[in-house]
Amino acid sequence: MPSQAQFPRGRSPLMVHGMAKLDLKGTRRSPLMFDTHMWALSGQTVDGTGSALGSCVVHLFYTSNDVLAALTTSDVSGNFTFLIGPNAGPFYCVAYLPGSPDKAGTTVNTLVPA
């Protein structure tokens, strides 16, 4: 069984103070044509000006209990995709890019497959 991270309710899974803003734009869900039992949750990591940020670590959490569901890294264009089952969710994503300054951001907590 994969390792799971549990965070207390009411606390953010990643606290970043005084850092640059990181927006996750275009997060969407779409059906995969090869398998009707799997769905893709995709998005792009961008900075506050809308420029793509590649190599961000993106965590996918279950909204109901803040348990880590999956982890991936965005590509050089900031794109990322999670493959999830049809009856899962809702979810939220947290992205982090170390650097000077570090950048971090999160999505809404209502992402669901359709």
Side-chain angles (χ1 to χ4, degrees):
M1 173 172 251
S3 139
Q4 295 181 342
Q6 177 69 44
F7 296 95
R9 291 300 294 162
R11 294 191 56 154
S12 174
L14 179 63
M15 301 296 287
V16 180
H17 300 284
M19 302 300 171
K21 180 181 176 187
L22 173 68
D23 292 324
L24 298 172
K25 76 172 190 179
T27 304
R28 63 188 183 284
R29 54 190 185 265
S30 61
L32 298 176
M33 297 305 180
F34 62 87
D35 186 350
T36 60
H37 298 289
M38 294 296 291
W39 294 80
L41 186 64
S42 301
Q44 184 182 29
T45 52
V46 297
D47 65 13
T49 65
S51 300
L53 289 175
S55 302
C56 295
V57 177
V58 184
H59 299 81
L60 181 69
F61 292 94
Y62 289 101
T63 300
S64 62
N65 57 11
D66 296 323
V67 171
L68 181 65
L71 176 82
T72 192
T73 302
S74 62
D75 65 17
V76 295
S77 299
N79 299 309
F80 65 90
T81 299
F82 292 105
L83 299 180
I84 55 177
N87 296 320
F91 299 101
Y92 65 95
C93 295
V94 175
Y96 180 74
L97 180 65
S100 182
D102 292 348
K103 297 178 183 177
T106 187
T107 64
V108 297
N109 66 354
T110 55
L111 304 176
V112 294

